[in-house]
Amino acid sequence: MIDPKLDRMIIRCIVFTFLVCFHHVAWGQLLPQSSYKLFNTNNGLPSTQIQGLFEDSRHFIWAITDRGVARFDGYRFQVYSTRHGLPTNNVLLINEDRKGRIWMMCNTGEYCYMEGDSIYPFQGNNKIKGMLRDRLPGPFYFDEQDTLWVTTFSGIQLFKCYQDSVVEEYKPAQDGEAPDAMYYLRRVGEKMLTLQIGEVSTANQIVTNDNLNYLLTLAGECKLACSVRVDEHKWAVAGPGGYVVFDEGGSIITHYSTSPYIFSTLEHDRLGRLWLTNSNGAYLLDNYNTGPAQSTVFFEGHFISAMLQDRQGNYWFGDRDNGIFFVPDLETQVVKDPVVGKQNKIVSIQQRNNAIYYTDAGGKLYQYQDSAVSIITDEDVPSGVTLDFAALPTGGFLVGNKPIVMNDQGRVRTQVTTNSTMRKTFVTTNGDVMIALSDGLARYSNGQWQTLHAESFKERSNVVYQRKDGSIWIGTNKGVYKYEETGMIPLKETQAAPLRVVDILEWNNVMLMATRQHGLAVWNGSALSILGEGEGLVSNTIDCLMKDPTGGVWIGSSLGLQQLVWNAEFSSFKPGRWITTANGLPSNEINDMLLVDDQTMLVATNDGMVILRTPWVWQGAAKPIVSITAIQLGNEIRSESGPIELTSDQNDLKISFLSFNFRMGSLAQYRYRLVNLQNDWVVTSNTSAEFWALDPGKYVFEVQSVNEDGQWSESATLPVTVHPHFAQTWWFRGLVILFVVLAIIAFMRWRYMQKQKTFEQRAKVAELKQQALNANMNPHFIFNALNSIQHLVLTNKTLEANEYLTDFSQLIRMNLEGNLEQ
């Protein structure tokens, strides 16, 4: 049997869809939508059915689905399923305790928690299941004492759990017992919000004593997960039955009855604003007293199951059918043509009186009015890629690559010329349209097309501009020319480079020229200066220029939008806001800009028309926070970020880090250094740094990340100590020195002893020799020697006698010296 309520809801949704489609077809109107990035299974989600979103204390974003839970770090989704310990892949709820453990509840009613990268079952599951009497458990949270509170979706029972055990149960009174039933709603701030009959037993509880049946009937089983504090002593509850604001006494302050849409959740963002999500989108409530009646709807027609604003200010919307919509800025809206296969490259924006028009590369015209866009022409202009158009002062449009004229309804079309390619237009103060051509300059006036100075001027023209003094200037691939009736006068300073000028803007009597490759050229009437990336531009290749109400100048390039804040002399600037896809642009390629009023600017991109609200008063993004996530020592991986101590044989180190910059994603930039090894920063897009064979010593690893506005974060630091090998320690070196000294002393002593021994031996030998000599020098020997000498003399053998006497004298001398030494 079909539920009548469900049947009526389906009929209403069909009617709503039909009306929306009919509205788009009949009136050709396009509504701006939030610019977003879609995450689905192509990006790593296990399923596009999102059942909840959560940001933990470490800045990870968690998505719970019917096929597991996914953790996102800005780069990739890490999926956990039954293979990792989940009781079942269908996860309904998620929360975090004060120890940093992630708790989940599955569709089987079982709770589990993740510690590190491991999942463990809650030991009280069986006891709770036995008490529930076939009911499904539901919302849970942790109080200041880290006590787990678990309730049912219907709010009939409440369990208090501590350290994996159920210690107390609160449940309705049985027949004949005192009516002290407690109906738990959820945690609001630091309090438990309950509906209770009877006395309040705990100061940490807020109760209502009347309207109990109405509040319980209001939202059915869903409402117990969807109650929030909206003011002091006031709360809101929402569900399929409606939306109610009530006070501590349970008195109903305001309420709204049955909604045709299936209710999902009621949440606060970080600005304190109230969000209600359901099967028709996400409702930002203007006033909690007026409820959904006055609200801004985001992702209308989508079944939004969850809403989260993270610490960076980004918004995440979970969709039951499509995945996750990531929105960096709610104020950034984009308009795209819904025609399947239709390109959404917007090339030009023009204003005529109070009406604003724009065209895409196909020549299709649109009108912007009151934050909505109407389609003027329902088909492209068949003349090649359109680069610009002109809203004619007398009515109608000049549009197309080979220009044609059409009326304001886009129906009557007349070919103007087939010989020239229209690149850029400008409507002068007298109503003429000056046209920059691919081979010169033309004028369209009073329905007539005229090529100007066709014989002498055939330059490829990129832009035409009229200054306040009425003079006409043309930017070409070879510099800038001034148009005169008698001829084209070159601005010689722009010819030398030459400068390829693609846009011109006059500001404070100074002419600014956007160039390709050379940055921004500034002509003050007498001198030309060039400002580029070295002076703070994000790119030297500029496509368009615009001034804002604060005196800033905006440049558009392939790297997004950048605001320049100039000094009084207009000779220098400081970079202002830089807007890219990280801030919500659908594309970084900017083709044109227009200031609508003091609070709105339109931006033509390669992927739609963007509406920006007061970007010039933006205060700047908060500095990012970078964290060290893992440390790898060889094959060992550690998750702690405390001081690291390495040994001499384990001195290879890999440090991983993250900034959780969801806007930048994989384009996030980091810089790091290892103080005492490298004092200069190393800039990288990698999320890790490796150091090999570190020398012994004390180091400090520092890492920073940069946000989308170029602001560097504070350093995340990690002290690293590499202990030397024992052979390099002071005590070992001292022992070696002592050993060497002792060895030298021992050697010297040994040498001394050896020499002393040698001396003694030599003295002994000398003594023995002397003794032998003395023994030979007896009186008989001396008498014989002298007698022999006398005989030689007497026999006249003078020579022999002389030789004998000499030998004898030497012997006597030796004997005497030996005796003296003794």
Side-chain angles (χ1 to χ4, degrees), residues 759-800:
F759 291 154
E760 290 177 356
Q761 288 176 349
R762 288 178 179 176
K764 187 68 173 176
V765 170
E767 181 181 359
L768 293 174
K769 286 182 178 180
Q770 187 63 40
Q771 288 178 359
L773 186 59
N774 289 339
N776 293 327
M777 293 295 291
N778 52 54
H780 179 72
F781 171 76
I782 295 173
F783 176 79
N784 289 336
L786 290 175
N787 193 32
S788 296
I789 294 171
Q790 184 181 20
H791 172 72
L792 292 173
V793 172
L794 291 176
T795 58
N796 292 321
K797 295 180 179 180
T798 308
L799 183 60
E800 291 87 345

Side-chain angles (χ1 to χ4, degrees), residues 374-386:
S374 300
I375 301 174
I376 296 176
T377 56
D378 56 0
E379 60 183 13
D380 293 349
V381 176
S383 61
V385 177
T386 295

Side-chain angles (χ1 to χ4, degrees), residues 486-502:
T486 57
M488 306 294 288
I489 303 173
L491 184 60
K492 294 182 180 180
E493 288 82 356
T494 65
Q495 312 293 313
L499 298 180
R500 182 183 175 187
V501 178
V502 296

Side-chain angles (χ1 to χ4, degrees), residues 457 459-463 473-482 488-504 511 513-515 518 521 528:
F457 184 72
E459 298 295 339
R460 184 180 181 86
S461 302
N462 304 309
V463 61
W473 296 80
I474 300 92
T476 74
N477 281 5
K478 295 182 179 180
V480 174
Y481 293 82
K482 181 181 179 181
M488 306 294 288
I489 303 173
L491 184 60
K492 294 182 180 180
E493 288 82 356
T494 65
Q495 312 293 313
L499 298 180
R500 182 183 175 187
V501 178
V502 296
D503 201 7
I504 299 174
M511 192 161 68
M513 293 166 279
T515 76
H518 291 88
L528 182 75

Side-chain angles (χ1 to χ4, degrees), residues 257-271:
S257 58
T258 304
S259 166
Y261 306 112
I262 299 175
F263 175 72
S264 296
T265 186
L266 188 66
E267 294 289 351
H268 270 138
D269 63 19
R270 294 185 177 273
L271 300 176

